[in-house]
Amino acid sequence: MQGKKAKVVLGVIGADCHAVGNKILNYAFTAAGFEVVNLGVLVSQQEFINAAIETDAQAILVASLYGHGEMDCRGLRERCIEAGIDNTLLYVGGNLVVGKTEFKQIEDKFYQMGYNRVYGPGTLPDQVIADLKQDLAQRGFGCA
Amino acid sequence: MQGKKAKVVLGVIGADCHAVGNKILNYAFTAAGFEVVNLGVLVSQQEFINAAIETDAQAILVASLYGHGEMDCRGLRERCIEAGIDNTLLYVGGNLVVGKTEFKQIEDKFYQMGYNRVYGPGTLPDQVIADLKQDLAQRGFGCA
Amino acid sequence: MNLKNKKWTSDDFLKVRGEVLTQWPTGAEIDLNEAAKYQENIPAYRHFAKRLEQAKQQGQTLTQPRAGVALINEHIKLLNFLLKEGEADLLPTTIDSYTRQNQYQEAQKGIEESLQTGRSLLNGFPAINHGLHGVRQVVESIDAPLQVRHGTPDARLLAEITIAGGFTAFEGGGISYNIPYAKNVSLEKTIIDWQYCDRLVGWYAENGIAVNREPYGPLTGTLVPPSVSNAIAILEGLLAAEQGVKSITLGYGQCGNLMQDVAAIRSLELLADEYFRKHGYQDCFLTSVFHQWMGGFPQDEAKAFAVISWGAAAAALAKATKVIVKTPHEALGIPTKEANAAGLRATKQLLNMLAGQVMPLNYQLQEEIDIISAETHCILAKVFELGQGDFAVGTIRAFQTGVLDVPFAPSERTLNKMLPARDDQGAVRFYDTGNLPFTDDIKAYHCDKMKERGRVEGRMPTFQMVIDDIYAVAKGRLVGRPS
Amino acid sequence: MNLKNKKWTSDDFLKVRGEVLTQWPTGAEIDLNEAAKYQENIPAYRHFAKRLEQAKQQGQTLTQPRAGVALINEHIKLLNFLLKEGEADLLPTTIDSYTRQNQYQEAQKGIEESLQTGRSLLNGFPAINHGLHGVRQVVESIDAPLQVRHGTPDARLLAEITIAGGFTAFEGGGISYNIPYAKNVSLEKTIIDWQYCDRLVGWYAENGIAVNREPYGPLTGTLVPPSVSNAIAILEGLLAAEQGVKSITLGYGQCGNLMQDVAAIRSLELLADEYFRKHGYQDCFLTSVFHQWMGGFPQDEAKAFAVISWGAAAAALAKATKVIVKTPHEALGIPTKEANAAGLRATKQLLNMLAGQVMPLNYQLQEEIDIISAETHCILAKVFELGQGDFAVGTIRAFQTGVLDVPFAPSERTLNKMLPARDDQGAVRFYDTGNLPFTDDIKAYHCDKMKERGRVEGRMPTFQMVIDDIYAVAKGRLVGRPS
Ligand code: B12
Ligand code: B12
């Protein structure tokens, strides 16, 4: 599979309309050689699942900025399993809970929900790209 | 003694040169009808004692702004006693210790050193004047 | 209904109203005549429009925070804290995001989970679920003017419930609460829905109650050039005035370059007066609002305080009627009430220290006023032309053709062809004017400014420059320099 | 020795030097030639004068905190913290008050008590007691330019030890470290003692090492009108230049009205250039320092951050070469290192956001520059006249006659006849010009300004107005209004 472009589904979950980070992540992942399926903002869990199945994506990058992330993100891993795409990497990032909170707490919460990587506010795309490349390489997917 | 002007000795102790508060206290106590013996800044303990004895003052108002108050103010009560003016009221105010500290702690420290009243930063003259009038009245000194 | 910039008939209004009030059970609680009586009893100092008029006349700048939590009692406590510890002049009630998307079921879940866990799991106050009585409980517990702040494309029921409940000001508009807050909602629909809200406010005005309306000025809060936000603010103001609104506050989000920020508010006030007069709305009382920096904030609280203070200073020097205040927690999450009050106090300190200080006119300020005004005129003239004399119709066509365009917006209803970037002094310029209807002179002006910056940085203006600018303030600067 | 503004002879210098070095045992450790060699090895980026020159040429404003504690290791930790966590460009070593009063015995007690209790009982670093080796330990542990900041009327031994120890900048002057810091010390003596310090720095300059000197600009920090502090700054600068100093930073303490503050720095720079050229010191490199608000601070940290930020903004808009930074603990006590770093970071954020933004000339700024310059000229001309062409002699006579006068100073050597107060916009004016040698026009100007304020406040200008102004910033405003 060497040389094939890795595919990621990108979107902002729930009733969240924060678009700026989404546009930048889209730009950065594309520039880094990924094929990005960008669902934009206001994306439901089902839309994430459908897009991942349709495009056979290696990872779903879920953003939540507006504070309802805890409620919105719960159950996505279970839906992946139901949909038979339990191998898909789930990354989540943004301002994940309401209010300023110790990041370690948030991380644990989202790990328990089945997310593979959890990013706090202020994360730069480069870091996420490097992590994803590493995770994909570990899974034997040599990417761009 | 009704009607007689109460006398206070005013000064900034130690190597402290903060003059603004001193000038304002001088003005305010004078305006409130006290006779103020203002020693200004950079006043030693002995100068306070001497002035109080010479003028037969009812109170000594010690200011310390610059942070060395703890070292500078220690022992003044003992000197009063030695000098036979142990009845003199001792007030102290300003930024009494180095650094931002819980005021309660500072207060206790200076009470233990024998000061009758302790004032923190931001004290307005009116409050001190009211307190002094009350303390003097209790001691049977009806003032202006 | 056919979109037109024309005051709705009573029949049209009442017909739609019937549907609106059934969107959620609490809609049934509202009786307009009873509501008008309730509003009449609100004393002047708690009345938003009156307080703003007074401030404008006295040359004062008032402070207002954002704040809202899920539960009524907690919300009341929060607002009273901001009033006392934050010395706020005006108070908000920020609505949660589910309500903004009309997902009242989700909001209900949020209320219940908040009750269970004892902490607010919603990012705002779900006013519709709390209903008329819940809203009035808030109104009656807060001794200050109260405004609803949200971001709701379809806010008709929210307007009905909160105004009947005693709120005296309502933020939003058909453009400004669609393009930055929605993905795929028809502009035609949101403009019509906001005509409804404005007509409702117009109805109150006809009954002697001037509820204040405030189009949402900063849009995406991210490098929006002043002429773009000013044009949209004036358009929404005109649409509101046509429906009978008599108190309007036009807004602008700080860009960070002082001369440009002061010029933006001056130009907004000047042009709004001009357009309102020209189109027959001179009886509408206009005020202005300056939003402290709306883009990404630094995480460090000391640095955040600096950004907040700079916004306060610019608002004071621009003499805006009110300023919307950020908090030292901005980059991280909904602020605690303490952090919110701290932002307010910092702002108040500077507004007081700068009271009486105005930015004197100078060549640079004049240049900024001139360029912003020229651009705004270009846009508004073209919108008018596209609409064949109808600003509502023109707006739709302007967005379709990119004559109006909002950068970094989530909405698919804006072309996203225009791209802003900062010049060497940090003023927001156009890296690409897209389809904005600017003269060649104006285009050349921006092109020169971008080239000048490029020269200083030793790089060609590219999209990377735009990205660098987006991150800049959070990283401690205004202009995103190459590292 | 007879006071004259004339470069000391080598003989005179060496004679006095013999006495100075015996004031405290550590004086014996100094060897000037060895010290010059030590200074030579300090790299340019750690060299104060060079860093300032570079900043001025690049239009940068550098940040510098105040900081000093009793013990060497703690002091090093503190400075490194401010460098890393505060992002400070320049670092200080603030000297304790006993050392400032030459009470080295008391300072020693402070060191010992600090060692015992484990917290600094001194309000600064007792450099003389720590001696040459202690000082060098600090210098070698800090990777940034270092300045001595103090307030010492007789700082001769301090200058000897700290400069030999590797400090590349030394604050103070015969007027500015007497009048605000002493009660009854002869001006003649302090000017002579500071000629000594300047001659010492001049000696280093002759040996190729430009140690920076900074007259202390803000004086009492309390409503000092710009022309008064500018005149004294220029005088001290001229006296230093005569002794051979080649790098001088002139200072000004923020008053709070933006136009006045920017004008004060501009006028200071313009006039200093003029006087230095006129008197033959054009080879002296001049830079400027803006002190964030030096008067009473608000206790609330959020409000303190606002005051700090406003100082940062004014410094940036005035394009001062460096800014001395306050902390959110200012009103309460010596700041923790965290609070100190927070003040620095807030300041840095604004300096970076305002880099490239300058205050454009405008009629109000011009008016302020004109009035400050006119006043400063009046004062300096009269000093020159009183000294029959000698600025040192003239200074003594000027203070005796009130031609120079510093408000709220502890010193009995200033007449204290002049009284400042704010006008309605918050600019610091003269409530009473005392014996300042102003023209009738200038006096009338201030009188009008005070009357204008009186009218607005509905009260006659009285001393109460002055008192209200002294408390104002701490209470959250600039102008002390009647309540
Ligand atoms: C102006 C000022 C100066 C000026 C003083 C000019 C002058 N000669 O007067 C200058 C710049 C010269 C100066 C120098 C120094 N200062 Co200073 N200064 C201040 C500042 C900013 C304001 C003081 C002031 O004038 N306030 C206005 C007057 C009206 O208020 P006040 O002085 O507080 O007095 C009122 C009350 O406190 C009370 N009060 C005062 N005394 C008394 C006494 C009694 C009996 C009562 C009842 C009430 C009372 O009533 C007064 C009237 O309302 C304060 C911080 C602040 N408050 O914001 C620091 C401050 C006092 N200074 C401080 C320090 C450390 C110094 C220096 C050592 C310099 C340094 N580290 O850089 C030197 C000291 C030199 C010396 N030998 O004393 C520290 C003290 C720290 C501490 N206690 O932990 C402070 C708190 C700043 C800080 N946070 O670091 N300073
Ligand atoms: C601009 C902005 C807005 C604009 C958005 C315009 C738009 N449509 O995009 C407007 C003004 C419309 C807005 C609205 C609201 N906002 Co807002 N907004 C911001 C702000 C100031 C900046 C966001 C931004 O654009 N940053 C720049 C981009 C580049 O960074 P970013 O979004 O953080 O994304 C980066 C990283 O986080 C990371 N990342 C993000 N997602 C993901 C996902 C993955 C998988 C990974 C790996 C990484 C990653 O990478 C991105 C690129 O570097 C932030 C606060 C801040 N950060 O300073 C608040 C903030 C996000 N908003 C907030 C809130 C609450 C709201 C509102 C509810 C309004 C309100 N209370 O007033 C509404 C929400 C409406 C809705 N339905 O969503 C809160 C969220 C609170 C919380 N989580 O506790 C914040 C934190 C402000 C605050 N402290 O209150 N907002």
Side-chain angles (χ1 to χ4, degrees):
Chain A
M1 271 172 63
Q2 203 70 15
K4 202 185 132 199
K5 272 194 177 183
K7 253 183 238 155
V8 297
V9 172
L10 186 66
V12 186
I13 201 166
D16 191 339
C17 70
H18 287 90
V20 185
N22 172 268
K23 284 179 202 284
I24 289 187
L25 288 170
N26 186 5
Y27 177 85
F29 273 84
T30 307
F34 288 88
E35 196 179 320
V36 181
V37 183
N38 188 11
L39 306 175
V41 304
L42 293 160
V43 180
S44 68
Q45 291 198 352
Q46 200 52 53
E47 287 172 272
F48 275 110
I49 303 284
N50 294 348
I53 296 175
E54 269 167 40
T55 63
D56 192 21
Q58 281 75 42
I60 301 178
L61 309 188
V62 181
S64 178
L65 280 299
Y66 72 151
H68 294 177
E70 196 176 335
M71 275 160 41
D72 293 338
C73 293
R74 215 181 280 147
L76 184 61
R77 171 56 77 200
E78 288 74 11
R79 285 211 197 195
C80 284
I81 296 170
E82 279 168 34
I85 51 165
D86 38 308
N87 212 16
T88 312
L89 284 166
L90 279 186
Y91 282 20
V92 66
N95 301 66
L96 290 172
V97 301
V98 176
K100 184 177 166 178
T101 315
E102 192 57 71
F103 185 64
K104 185 82 187 66
Q105 276 179 37
I106 300 175
E107 226 181 355
D108 287 348
K109 188 169 281 168
F110 281 83
Y111 282 148
Q112 274 169 25
M113 290 189 206
Y115 290 82
N116 301 82
R117 286 191 186 257
V118 185
Y119 298 89
T123 306
L124 294 183
D126 289 355
Q127 188 196 329
V128 190
I129 290 168
D131 290 345
L132 183 57
K133 283 191 175 164
Q134 190 190 316
D135 286 357
L136 289 178
Q138 264 184 12
R139 298 176 163 221
F141 191 97
C143 68
Chain B
M1 273 171 59
Q2 204 70 15
K4 200 185 132 200
K5 271 195 179 184
K7 254 184 238 154
V8 297
V9 171
L10 186 64
V12 186
I13 201 166
D16 192 339
C17 70
H18 288 90
V20 185
N22 172 268
K23 285 179 201 284
I24 290 186
L25 288 170
N26 186 7
Y27 177 86
F29 272 86
T30 308
F34 289 88
E35 198 179 320
V36 180
V37 183
N38 189 11
L39 307 176
V41 303
L42 294 160
V43 180
S44 68
Q45 291 197 353
Q46 199 52 52
E47 288 172 273
F48 276 110
I49 302 283
N50 294 348
I53 295 175
E54 270 168 40
T55 62
D56 192 22
Q58 281 75 43
I60 301 177
L61 309 188
V62 181
S64 177
L65 281 298
Y66 72 152
H68 294 178
E70 194 175 337
M71 275 160 43
D72 293 338
C73 293
R74 216 182 280 148
L76 185 61
R77 171 57 75 200
E78 288 73 12
R79 287 209 195 195
C80 284
I81 296 171
E82 281 168 31
I85 51 165
D86 39 308
N87 212 14
T88 313
L89 283 166
L90 279 186
Y91 282 19
V92 66
N95 301 65
L96 291 171
V97 300
V98 177
K100 184 177 166 179
T101 316
E102 191 57 71
F103 185 64
K104 185 83 187 64
Q105 275 180 37
I106 301 175
E107 225 181 356
D108 287 349
K109 186 168 282 168
F110 281 83
Y111 281 147
Q112 274 170 26
M113 291 188 207
Y115 290 83
N116 301 83
R117 286 191 188 259
V118 184
Y119 297 88
T123 306
L124 294 183
D126 288 355
Q127 188 197 327
V128 191
I129 290 167
D131 289 346
L132 183 57
K133 285 191 174 162
Q134 191 190 314
D135 286 357
L136 290 177
Q138 264 185 14
R139 296 174 165 223
F141 190 97
C143 68
Chain C
M1 192 174 289
N2 223 330
L3 178 64
K4 266 173 84 175
N5 180 26
K6 191 88 203 95
K7 187 165 160 182
W8 286 21
T9 63
S10 182
D11 278 0
D12 281 345
F13 177 62
L14 291 178
K15 212 182 87 205
V16 176
R17 193 165 189 265
E19 297 159 26
V20 168
L21 297 188
T22 58
Q23 287 172 352
W24 187 254
T26 51
E29 299 163 1
I30 304 161
D31 168 350
L32 267 189
N33 291 313
E34 184 272 347
K37 288 235 175 56
Y38 185 85
Q39 279 271 359
E40 260 168 30
N41 287 325
I42 294 173
Y45 73 94
R46 286 218 274 124
H47 209 285
F48 226 93
K50 291 175 190 162
R51 189 72 192 80
L52 287 172
E53 276 192 42
Q54 189 199 33
K56 185 174 178 176
Q57 273 144 9
Q58 297 176 350
Q60 246 190 309
T61 301
L62 305 174
T63 57
Q64 184 177 2
R66 295 185 177 82
V69 286
L71 306 176
I72 295 173
N73 283 334
E74 278 61 36
H75 186 62
I76 290 171
K77 266 186 222 146
L78 171 60
L79 294 188
N80 274 323
F81 188 88
L82 299 179
L83 188 61
K84 275 178 210 111
E85 300 302 319
E87 305 165 22
D89 297 310
L90 306 168
L91 286 172
T93 284
T94 300
I95 305 299
D96 71 290
S97 290
Y98 292 133
T99 301
R100 295 167 184 222
Q101 298 294 332
N102 311 109
Q103 301 175 359
Y104 310 123
Q105 210 72 60
E106 303 287 316
Q108 198 60 42
K109 226 170 76 183
I111 295 177
E112 277 150 26
E113 286 201 35
S114 301
L115 274 171
Q116 278 158 25
T117 60
R119 68 193 168 98
S120 180
L121 280 158
L122 292 179
N123 59 11
F125 182 77
I128 291 178
N129 293 64
H130 288 311
L132 192 65
H133 301 294
V135 170
R136 287 196 179 166
Q137 231 176 296
V138 173
V139 166
E140 286 161 21
S141 308
I142 311 297
D143 206 25
L146 275 173
Q147 182 193 37
V148 185
R149 301 189 70 84
H150 43 132
T152 313
D154 176 4
R156 294 171 299 172
L157 182 55
L158 185 66
E160 286 278 3
I161 288 190
T162 53
I163 299 173
F167 274 78
T168 50
F170 198 77
E171 197 197 27
I175 307 165
S176 64
Y177 269 8
N178 176 341
I179 303 298
Y181 286 100
K183 183 176 181 176
N184 199 1
V185 175
S186 133
L187 246 186
E188 211 157 336
K189 174 160 176 11
T190 51
I191 293 182
I192 289 176
D193 288 347
W194 277 90
Q195 284 182 328
Y196 178 97
C197 297
D198 288 330
R199 188 75 275 284
L200 175 68
V201 170
W203 183 90
Y204 279 98
E206 285 150 18
N207 286 271
I209 293 145
V211 173
N212 173 263
R213 284 274 296 112
E214 178 188 336
Y216 170 63
L219 302 168
T220 51
T222 306
L223 301 178
V224 183
S227 61
V228 170
S229 56
N230 281 4
I232 292 173
I234 292 171
L235 278 173
E236 289 197 352
L238 291 169
L239 299 184
E242 173 61 26
Q243 300 302 324
V245 176
K246 298 297 179 204
S247 169
I248 298 182
T249 304
L250 299 183
Y252 165 74
Q254 181 181 29
C255 285
N257 174 290
L258 182 61
M259 290 307 141
Q260 187 177 45
D261 285 333
V262 173
I265 288 285
R266 296 242 179 117
S267 155
L268 177 58
E269 290 175 343
L270 287 170
L271 264 60
D273 274 341
E274 185 184 325
Y275 277 84
F276 271 62
R277 239 183 297 112
K278 199 160 105 191
H279 294 279
Y281 311 118
Q282 55 278 353
D283 63 340
C284 187
F285 196 92
L286 293 179
T287 47
S288 62
V289 51
F290 185 92
H291 292 251
Q292 290 178 348
W293 174 246
M294 288 294 291
F297 249 67
Q299 296 195 8
D300 176 60
E301 294 193 16
K303 294 187 172 190
F305 269 121
V307 177
I308 289 167
S309 302
W310 185 227
L317 291 170
K319 285 261 158 294
T321 325
K322 69 172 185 178
V323 56
I324 303 289
V325 174
K326 288 270 175 169
T327 84
H329 286 183
E330 176 64 15
L332 295 167
I334 303 258
T336 57
K337 59 187 193 310
E338 289 79 13
N340 210 333
L344 282 162
R345 287 200 305 274
T347 301
K348 195 55 153 281
Q349 173 81 20
L350 276 193
L351 292 178
N352 283 343
M353 283 181 71
L354 272 75
Q357 299 189 45
V358 196
M359 179 56 64
L361 198 61
N362 58 67
Y363 77 96
Q364 207 179 310
L365 182 55
Q366 190 62 57
E367 183 177 319
E368 296 291 350
I369 293 176
D370 291 344
I371 189 91
I372 296 170
S373 300
E375 291 169 13
T376 313
H377 277 308
C378 285
I379 297 173
L380 291 175
K382 189 75 190 172
V383 173
F384 201 63
E385 186 196 314
L386 286 174
Q388 290 159 307
D390 185 304
F391 276 124
V393 176
T395 297
I396 305 293
R397 296 189 184 148
F399 270 101
Q400 280 161 357
T401 53
V403 161
L404 285 170
D405 202 356
V406 176
F408 313 111
S411 173
E412 292 160 5
R413 306 302 166 114
T414 189
L415 279 199
N416 229 319
K417 270 195 78 169
M418 174 269 275
L419 267 183
R422 293 190 187 277
D423 70 14
D424 198 51
Q425 279 75 48
V428 174
R429 309 292 178 194
F430 295 91
Y431 163 69
D432 183 343
T433 50
N435 293 355
L436 295 187
F438 289 161
T439 61
D440 288 345
D441 277 6
I442 294 177
K443 286 183 192 165
Y445 179 88
H446 290 285
C447 190
D448 287 350
K449 290 281 184 187
M450 293 313 304
K451 276 196 204 135
E452 186 197 342
R453 171 170 171 197
R455 259 195 314 278
V456 171
E457 296 183 357
R459 61 171 173 174
M460 297 293 292
T462 59
F463 188 64
Q464 187 57 45
M465 208 180 244
V466 182
I467 293 189
D468 290 344
D469 283 348
I470 289 177
Y471 284 118
V473 172
K475 286 186 177 171
R477 338 187 37 97
L478 190 59
V479 183
R481 304 292 187 189
S483 43
Chain D
M1 194 174 290
N2 224 330
L3 178 64
K4 265 174 84 175
N5 180 25
K6 190 89 204 95
K7 188 165 158 182
W8 286 22
T9 63
S10 183
D11 279 359
D12 281 346
F13 177 62
L14 290 177
K15 211 182 87 205
V16 177
R17 193 163 189 266
E19 296 161 25
V20 168
L21 298 187
T22 58
Q23 287 172 353
W24 189 253
T26 51
E29 299 164 2
I30 304 162
D31 168 349
L32 266 189
N33 291 313
E34 184 272 345
K37 289 234 175 58
Y38 185 84
Q39 279 270 359
E40 260 168 31
N41 286 325
I42 295 174
Y45 74 94
R46 285 217 274 123
H47 209 285
F48 225 92
K50 291 175 190 161
R51 188 73 193 81
L52 287 172
E53 276 192 41
Q54 188 199 34
K56 185 174 178 178
Q57 272 144 9
Q58 297 176 350
Q60 246 190 308
T61 302
L62 305 175
T63 58
Q64 184 177 3
R66 292 186 179 80
V69 287
L71 306 177
I72 295 174
N73 284 332
E74 279 59 36
H75 187 62
I76 290 171
K77 266 186 220 145
L78 172 59
L79 294 188
N80 274 322
F81 188 87
L82 299 179
L83 188 60
K84 276 178 208 111
E85 300 303 318
E87 306 165 21
D89 297 311
L90 305 168
L91 285 171
T93 284
T94 300
I95 305 300
D96 71 290
S97 289
Y98 292 133
T99 302
R100 294 168 184 221
Q101 299 294 333
N102 312 108
Q103 302 175 358
Y104 310 123
Q105 211 73 62
E106 302 288 315
Q108 198 62 41
K109 224 171 73 184
I111 295 177
E112 276 149 27
E113 286 202 36
S114 301
L115 273 171
Q116 278 158 26
T117 61
R119 67 194 170 96
S120 180
L121 280 158
L122 293 179
N123 60 10
F125 182 78
I128 291 178
N129 294 64
H130 288 310
L132 191 66
H133 302 294
V135 170
R136 288 196 179 167
Q137 230 175 298
V138 173
V139 166
E140 286 162 20
S141 308
I142 311 297
D143 205 25
L146 275 172
Q147 183 193 36
V148 185
R149 301 189 72 83
H150 44 133
T152 313
D154 175 4
R156 294 172 298 172
L157 182 55
L158 185 65
E160 286 279 2
I161 288 191
T162 53
I163 300 174
F167 275 77
T168 51
F170 198 77
E171 197 196 25
I175 308 165
S176 64
Y177 269 8
N178 176 340
I179 305 298
Y181 286 100
K183 184 176 180 173
N184 199 2
V185 174
S186 133
L187 246 185
E188 211 155 338
K189 172 158 177 12
T190 51
I191 292 182
I192 290 176
D193 288 347
W194 277 89
Q195 284 182 328
Y196 178 96
C197 297
D198 287 329
R199 187 74 276 282
L200 177 68
V201 170
W203 184 89
Y204 279 98
E206 284 150 17
N207 287 271
I209 292 146
V211 172
N212 174 262
R213 283 274 297 111
E214 178 187 336
Y216 170 63
L219 303 167
T220 51
T222 306
L223 300 178
V224 182
S227 60
V228 170
S229 56
N230 281 3
I232 292 174
I234 291 171
L235 279 174
E236 289 196 352
L238 291 169
L239 299 184
E242 174 60 27
Q243 300 302 325
V245 176
K246 299 296 180 205
S247 169
I248 299 182
T249 304
L250 299 182
Y252 165 75
Q254 179 181 30
C255 284
N257 174 290
L258 182 61
M259 290 308 140
Q260 188 177 44
D261 285 333
V262 174
I265 288 285
R266 296 242 178 117
S267 155
L268 177 59
E269 290 175 343
L270 287 170
L271 263 61
D273 274 341
E274 185 183 326
Y275 277 83
F276 272 61
R277 238 183 296 113
K278 200 161 104 191
H279 293 278
Y281 311 118
Q282 54 277 356
D283 63 339
C284 187
F285 197 91
L286 294 178
T287 47
S288 62
V289 51
F290 184 93
H291 291 251
Q292 290 178 350
W293 175 246
M294 287 295 293
F297 249 66
Q299 296 195 9
D300 176 60
E301 295 193 16
K303 293 187 171 188
F305 270 121
V307 177
I308 289 167
S309 302
W310 185 225
L317 291 170
K319 286 261 156 295
T321 324
K322 70 172 185 177
V323 56
I324 303 289
V325 174
K326 288 268 175 171
T327 84
H329 286 183
E330 176 64 17
L332 296 166
I334 303 258
T336 58
K337 60 187 194 308
E338 289 78 14
N340 210 333
L344 283 162
R345 287 199 306 273
T347 301
K348 196 54 155 281
Q349 174 80 22
L350 277 193
L351 292 178
N352 282 342
M353 283 181 71
L354 272 75
Q357 298 189 45
V358 196
M359 178 57 63
L361 198 62
N362 58 68
Y363 77 95
Q364 207 179 309
L365 182 55
Q366 189 63 57
E367 183 178 318
E368 295 292 349
I369 292 176
D370 290 345
I371 189 92
I372 295 170
S373 300
E375 292 169 13
T376 312
H377 277 308
C378 286
I379 298 173
L380 290 176
K382 190 75 190 172
V383 173
F384 201 64
E385 186 196 313
L386 287 173
Q388 291 160 303
D390 185 304
F391 276 125
V393 176
T395 298
I396 306 292
R397 298 191 182 145
F399 270 102
Q400 279 162 357
T401 53
V403 162
L404 283 170
D405 203 356
V406 176
F408 313 110
S411 173
E412 292 160 6
R413 306 302 165 113
T414 188
L415 279 199
N416 228 322
K417 270 195 80 167
M418 175 268 275
L419 267 183
R422 293 190 186 277
D423 71 13
D424 198 51
Q425 280 75 48
V428 174
R429 308 293 179 194
F430 295 90
Y431 164 70
D432 183 343
T433 50
N435 293 356
L436 295 187
F438 290 160
T439 61
D440 289 346
D441 276 6
I442 293 176
K443 287 184 191 162
Y445 179 87
H446 290 285
C447 190
D448 287 350
K449 289 283 182 187
M450 292 313 303
K451 276 196 203 135
E452 186 197 342
R453 172 171 170 194
R455 261 196 314 279
V456 171
E457 296 183 357
R459 60 171 174 175
M460 295 294 291
T462 61
F463 188 63
Q464 187 57 45
M465 208 179 246
V466 182
I467 293 187
D468 291 344
D469 283 348
I470 289 177
Y471 285 118
V473 171
K475 286 187 176 171
R477 338 189 37 98
L478 189 59
V479 183
R481 305 291 188 190
S483 44

